[in-house]
Amino acid sequence: MTEPARRRGRPSRTGTGSGPGTRELILAAAREEFAERGFEKTSVRGIAKAAGVDPALVHHYFGTKEQVFAASIEVAFAPALQAPAAVEDGPLDAVGERLTRFIFGIWENPATRAPLLAIVRSAVNNETAAAVFRRLIAAQLLSRLARRLDVPEREAELRVSLAAAQLVGTAMLRYVIKAEPLASADAEDVIARLAPVVQRHLTGP
Amino acid sequence: MTEPARRRGRPSRTGTGSGPGTRELILAAAREEFAERGFEKTSVRGIAKAAGVDPALVHHYFGTKEQVFAASIEVAFAPALQAPAAVEDGPLDAVGERLTRFIFGIWENPATRAPLLAIVRSAVNNETAAAVFRRLIAAQLLSRLARRLDVPEREAELRVSLAAAQLVGTAMLRYVIKAEPLASADAEDVIARLAPVVQRHLTGP
């Protein structure tokens, strides 16, 4: 029997003297700290204190503050990062609706909306946080979808970006700024209006 | 000869002992303070100090911190608040391009981009700032455009909101998050791709 492969980029848990779950504990504390204070005002020391561990342990598991932030985004975005699979499966001529429905599913769910809101706030306010956001989301979400489109790479990425812009802007106005009538409009109505537009960006003329 | 009508909601300058231009001086200081510190960390006292005036004078001209903020948004958005006229004039079947071009004109100009960025950051981070943003922009920009559409009011406002969402999301990704390939894409190329989508939202089926 072989040991399970160690996950890439994540330090092993052995030899730290901490029990299993410490990493998760730190991550939960980090997410709350980032959500409450934003990226700039959160410190590794503060995260350690909130998690009830030594700051060295935070560094051991994650490295720098940026790396803790990237890890919390990854966890918060875990459902969104499955989007490519959910969106890629199925016919290309209905991908607009699948993508729109997927994004609304995340934002309409209070459990996933809160961490997403925290990330958006950090990314809007801080250059480092924006860079982490760009890397993770662009690379994992947009590129995979772009590869399915039957056009040159740069054209595909621009199309996916403009489709994403429609969804990002709708989320901003509906969930962040809470502008009416979008904020209280029926989700299914909004999805029905957006899906053909997103589809057009992706596969239209 | 009659005196020019006093502008609504703005206290007169007479009887304050301050020279003309004091209001503008306070407003310039306020914009810098809000841009630098965000809405929450800016105080009337701080604005007064930056402007070199007594805090009482800030209250005299503007009232509360929210009212100073609203006034700075109004100034920063002065070009955008002319959008309705610029966008309303001309044929309805090209309104998508006029609106898109107008919004890009503001964001592509460094002089108007900086204050806009400050407002967006404040609105994303603070509920009071978001409310001010909603009131001013929704009322002045969106409603006027909605009135030109030949559909019931609520339908018109929803259409204008979704068109705005496309433009807001594009601005977020291009100018705030700076996500590629949108951040470095040619502005005219992006306008050409967005205009028909915005048009479709406004006057499509």
Side-chain angles (χ1 to χ4, degrees):
Chain A
M1 258 172 51
T2 55
E3 270 193 287
R6 185 181 295 172
R7 279 178 293 177
R8 199 154 35 100
R10 290 174 182 168
S12 147
R13 274 193 199 118
T14 55
T16 66
S18 64
T22 304
R23 188 180 184 280
E24 285 65 34
L25 200 67
I26 295 171
L27 213 44
R31 282 175 57 188
E32 278 201 28
E33 290 289 303
F34 284 125
E36 216 169 278
R37 297 168 200 279
F39 180 81
E40 282 180 57
K41 277 184 276 177
T42 296
S43 66
V44 165
R45 177 176 293 274
I47 292 168
K49 198 177 167 195
V53 303
D54 192 270
L57 219 49
V58 178
H59 287 298
H60 168 78
Y61 278 113
F62 298 98
T64 64
K65 182 171 89 168
E66 280 96 273
Q67 288 170 311
V68 192
F69 183 71
S72 8
I73 289 190
E74 250 182 294
V75 170
F77 260 94
L81 294 177
Q82 294 156 7
V87 172
E88 280 174 79
D89 289 350
L92 197 59
D93 64 3
V95 70
E97 194 192 328
R98 290 200 301 280
L99 180 59
T100 305
R101 207 167 272 290
F102 190 88
I103 299 296
F104 267 73
I106 297 170
W107 278 104
E108 289 289 319
N109 178 351
T112 41
R113 185 192 304 172
L116 201 53
L117 210 49
I119 292 165
V120 169
R121 291 198 163 123
S122 293
V124 165
N125 282 285
N126 180 278
E127 191 45 51
T128 311
V132 170
F133 186 82
R134 274 199 300 271
R135 256 201 321 277
L136 271 172
I137 305 316
Q140 301 200 29
L141 227 158
L142 302 187
S143 311
R144 282 190 59 183
L145 185 54
R147 278 201 289 277
R148 264 217 66 183
L149 305 183
D150 200 20
V151 290
E153 189 183 344
R154 168 134 183 132
E155 168 71 16
E157 287 182 353
L158 199 49
R159 282 169 171 263
V160 174
S161 299
L162 291 174
Q166 175 73 69
L167 296 169
V168 165
T170 306
M172 281 286 294
L173 294 181
R174 180 176 168 92
Y175 304 106
V176 184
I177 308 285
K178 299 192 184 87
E180 291 297 353
L182 209 43
S184 62
D186 178 63
E188 282 300 323
D189 180 24
V190 179
I191 291 171
R193 288 163 186 267
L194 288 181
V197 170
V198 171
Q199 182 73 39
R200 182 200 162 116
H201 276 306
L202 297 176
T203 62
Chain B
M1 259 172 51
T2 54
E3 271 193 287
R6 187 182 293 173
R7 280 178 293 177
R8 196 155 37 98
R10 289 174 183 167
S12 147
R13 274 192 200 118
T14 55
T16 65
S18 63
T22 304
R23 188 180 185 279
E24 286 64 34
L25 201 68
I26 295 172
L27 212 45
R31 282 175 58 189
E32 276 200 31
E33 289 289 302
F34 285 125
E36 216 171 277
R37 299 169 197 278
F39 180 81
E40 283 181 57
K41 277 184 277 177
T42 296
S43 67
V44 166
R45 177 176 292 275
I47 292 169
K49 198 177 166 196
V53 303
D54 192 89
L57 218 49
V58 178
H59 288 299
H60 169 76
Y61 279 112
F62 298 99
T64 64
K65 181 171 92 168
E66 279 96 273
Q67 289 171 309
V68 191
F69 184 71
S72 10
I73 289 191
E74 249 182 296
V75 170
F77 259 94
L81 294 176
Q82 295 157 5
V87 170
E88 280 174 80
D89 287 350
L92 197 59
D93 64 3
V95 69
E97 192 190 329
R98 288 199 303 278
L99 180 59
T100 305
R101 208 167 272 290
F102 190 87
I103 300 294
F104 267 74
I106 298 170
W107 278 104
E108 290 288 319
N109 179 351
T112 41
R113 186 193 302 172
L116 201 54
L117 209 50
I119 292 164
V120 169
R121 290 198 164 123
S122 293
V124 165
N125 282 283
N126 179 278
E127 191 45 53
T128 311
V132 171
F133 186 84
R134 273 199 301 271
R135 257 200 323 276
L136 271 173
I137 305 316
Q140 302 201 27
L141 227 157
L142 302 187
S143 312
R144 282 191 58 181
L145 185 55
R147 277 201 289 277
R148 264 218 66 183
L149 304 184
D150 199 20
V151 290
E153 189 183 344
R154 168 134 184 134
E155 168 70 16
E157 287 182 353
L158 199 50
R159 281 170 173 263
V160 174
S161 299
L162 291 174
Q166 174 73 70
L167 296 170
V168 165
T170 305
M172 281 286 295
L173 294 181
R174 180 174 168 94
Y175 304 105
V176 184
I177 308 285
K178 300 194 183 84
E180 291 297 352
L182 209 43
S184 62
D186 177 63
E188 282 298 323
D189 181 23
V190 180
I191 291 171
R193 289 163 186 267
L194 289 181
V197 171
V198 171
Q199 182 72 41
R200 184 201 160 115
H201 277 307
L202 297 175
T203 61

